[in-house]
């Protein structure tokens, strides 16, 4: 056993002194301008998933080794894990070299260190904490996470002796045929005592098929030292799957999504068609919500109890409150209030806030607008930069003309206003409480409370125009027939100027 009492995190998991993520590799097989660890699945980058899995270990120091695409990776880290320390591995000489560079950057670190590959996006908190717990329990110098897999192709094999003790990790390309038959593999996740790791890493060599420095060789060196070394099997072999090309990325994304949907269903969410429903790990959905087929929930989206989303709907960073429904729509940064309805075919953009019972209907785009309680924008409208009161109705094909080519301006619509169909509301403009606008108006001036705003030319009918100017057409024939019917019935008909 280690001499000191192991410390624990607030959550009771054993703590580590440092987390080191190896993320400098090129990821050639992704064939991408984006560094491999920045490819995203389930709402986070691969690197983000690894960091999230390690977060509860409460490490005072988190080091991320960067190299290939380092500017991009560093910028991403600044955003998702500003406390992490990026350490540059100038030349990618192998995972062991990356670990050397990392530990050299934090010479003060002692005690247990978690070393993890940056391309293990399915790693879970429980798996990592179990590994650390086993390491501490066994009093090991080094403990490696392993898994039994059906197809170990390309992975490092765990070699055990007759007594079952782990003696080495052998890469596939350096393995004997007998070793290749081993199905227990190295997950690329290790906990080691900092001093033991430093000692082992100082002695690794590039004496292998790739001519690289392998972190995995540390294990055999420590075994030769007589230090206590162990392997801990992952409960779920999925957790340890790496991600080296786009096919594996798609497969990992599927697995991650299945896990999220599984959890939601256990918690009481109806997922009508798990095959076509995609939910980020960062999303929350309450019980008795219904996700119809083709639903994509992303980012910080939350869906409250009894709400129905879908079919064929994408919500990014949206809040859908209890009992609301969003059907066949695309929404970004919007708040859909309780019992409000959206869609089909609505486009809600950032800053849209629908109060309780509000309605946004077909072919309506809304941006940076508050729609008051029970107010409706049912059809074919653009609503930008507006405040709409309670109980108002915005007629079909209304446009909130918010942009003068240089600046954006706001429109204010009072309570219980009736905006006639095809109204242009030229902002900045205010329509007072209880006011109406006439259909087809171009409203450039404020409409006082209770007034009817009319802003359109009067209609004039030019009688007989079709007969004179479009003779012989079906329209002229129809008009002539109507005239003779009118004459027969003694009605003067339409053939008069008005
Ligand atoms: C590695 C392990 C293998 C294990 C597998 C699990 C080694 C030698 N082999 O193989 O036993 O089964 O992971 O997925 O470690 N990296 C750097 N700098 C470098 C080289 C790599 O930071 O110079 C990083 C990579 O970004 C990656 C990790 O180290 O996150 C592992 O490197 P990779 O090339 O992916 O190793 P594998 O062949 O997958
Ligand atoms: Ca890998």
């Amino acid at each position: 056993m280690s001499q000191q009492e192991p410390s624990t995190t607030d959550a009771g998991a054993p703590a580590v002194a440092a987390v080191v993520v190896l993320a400098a590799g090129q990821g050639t097989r992704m064939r991408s301008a984006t560094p491999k660890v920045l490819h995203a699945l389930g709402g986070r980058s691969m690197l983000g998933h690894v960091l999230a899995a390690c977060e509860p270990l409460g490490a005072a120091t988190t080091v991320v080794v960067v190299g290939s695409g380092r500017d991009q990776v560093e910028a991403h880290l600044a955003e998702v894990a500003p406390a992490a320390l990026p350490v540059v591995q100038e030349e990618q000489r192998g995972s062991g070299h990356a670990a050397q560079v990392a530990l050299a950057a934090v010479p003060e670190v002692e005690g247990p260190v978690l070393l993890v590959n940056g391309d293990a996006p399915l790693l879970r908190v429980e798996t990592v904490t179990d590994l650390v717990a086993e390491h501490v329990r066994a009093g090991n110098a080094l403990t490696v996470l392993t898994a039994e897999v059906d197809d170990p192709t390309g992975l490092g094999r765990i070699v055990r002796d007759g007594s079952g003790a782990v003696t080495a990790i052998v890469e596939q390309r350096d393995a004997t045929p007998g070793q290749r038959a081993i199905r227990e593999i190295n997950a690329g996740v290790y906990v080691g005592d900092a001093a033991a790791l430093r000692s082992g890493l100082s002695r690794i060599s590039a004496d292998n098929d790739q001519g690289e420095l392998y972190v995995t060789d540390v294990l055999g060196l420590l075994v030769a030292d007589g230090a206590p070394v162990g392997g801990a099997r992952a409960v779920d072999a999925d957790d340890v799957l790496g991600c080296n090309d786009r096919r594996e990325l798609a497969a990992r994304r599927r697995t991650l999504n299945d896990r999220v949907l599984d959890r939601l269903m256990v918690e009481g969410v109806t997922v009508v068609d798990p095959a076509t429903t995609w939910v980020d790990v960062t999303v929350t959905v309450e019980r008795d919500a219904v996700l119809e087929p083709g639903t994509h929930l992303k980012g910080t989206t939350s869906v409250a109890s009894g709400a129905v989303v879908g079919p064929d709907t994408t919500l990014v960073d949206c809040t859908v409150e209890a009992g609301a429904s969003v059907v066949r729509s695309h929404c970004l940064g919007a708040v859909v209030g309780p019992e409000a309805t959206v869609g089909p075919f609505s486009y809600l953009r950032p800053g849209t806030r629908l109060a309780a019972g509000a309605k946004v209907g077909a072919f309506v785009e809304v941006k940076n607008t508050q729609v008051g309680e029970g107010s409706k924008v049912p059809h074919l409208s653009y609503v930008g930069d507006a405040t709409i009161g309670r109980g108002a109705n915005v007629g079909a094909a209304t446009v909130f003309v918010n942009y003068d080519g240089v600046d954006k301006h706001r429109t204010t619509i009072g309570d219980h206003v009736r905006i006639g169909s095809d109204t242009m509301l030229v902002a900045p403009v205010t329509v007072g409480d209880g006011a109406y606008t006439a259909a087809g108006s171009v409203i450039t001036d404020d409409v006082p409370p209770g007034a009817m705003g009319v802003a359109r030319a009067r209609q004039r009918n030019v009688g007989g125009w079709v007969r004179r100017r479009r003779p012989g057409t079906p329209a002229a024939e129809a008009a002539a027939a109507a005239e003779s019917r009118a004459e027969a019935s003694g009605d003067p008909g339409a053939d008069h100027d008005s």
Side-chain angles (χ1 to χ4, degrees), residues 71-150:
D71 292 347
Q72 282 165 276
V73 179
E74 284 180 8
H76 178 70
L77 270 180
E79 212 176 289
V80 304
L85 175 70
V87 169
V88 178
Q89 183 193 20
E90 291 291 351
E91 218 186 315
Q92 283 73 63
R93 294 171 51 205
S95 56
H97 180 238
Q100 287 172 347
V101 169
L103 289 179
V106 287
E108 73 286 358
V109 166
E110 49 184 62
V113 173
L114 182 87
L115 266 179
V116 52
N117 284 358
D119 64 349
L122 297 184
L123 208 55
R124 273 186 293 198
V125 170
E126 308 86 278
T127 304
V128 177
T129 50
D130 284 359
L131 173 68
V132 177
E134 170 58 16
H135 175 80
V136 171
R137 187 203 61 77
N140 282 340
L142 179 66
T143 309
V144 56
L145 181 67
T146 78
E148 289 282 347
V149 296
D150 293 336

Side-chain angles (χ1 to χ4, degrees), residues 22-25 36 65 89 92-95 98 117-119 155-156 169 171 186-188 190 214-216 242 244:
L22 308 182
K36 176 164 82 171
V65 185
Q89 183 193 20
Q92 283 73 63
R93 294 171 51 205
S95 56
N117 284 358
D119 64 349
L155 296 166
I169 302 171
E171 293 305 299
N186 167 27
Y190 324 81
Y214 287 167
V215 72
T216 46
N244 296 301

Side-chain angles (χ1 to χ4, degrees), residues 40-43 249-261 264 271 273-283 285 291-299 301 309 313-316:
L41 58 163
L249 180 60
R252 303 299 168 261
R253 184 179 288 122
R254 178 86 257 170
T255 304
L256 194 60
N257 194 59
D258 287 345
R259 280 184 185 173
V260 171
L261 297 183
L264 293 180
V271 179
D273 182 19
T276 61
T277 302
W278 293 85
V279 179
D280 281 355
V281 298
T282 44
V283 165
V285 186
L291 307 182
E292 297 282 1
T295 292
H296 299 230
L297 305 181
K298 294 166 173 281
T301 294
V309 181
T313 293
T314 297
L315 305 181
V316 183

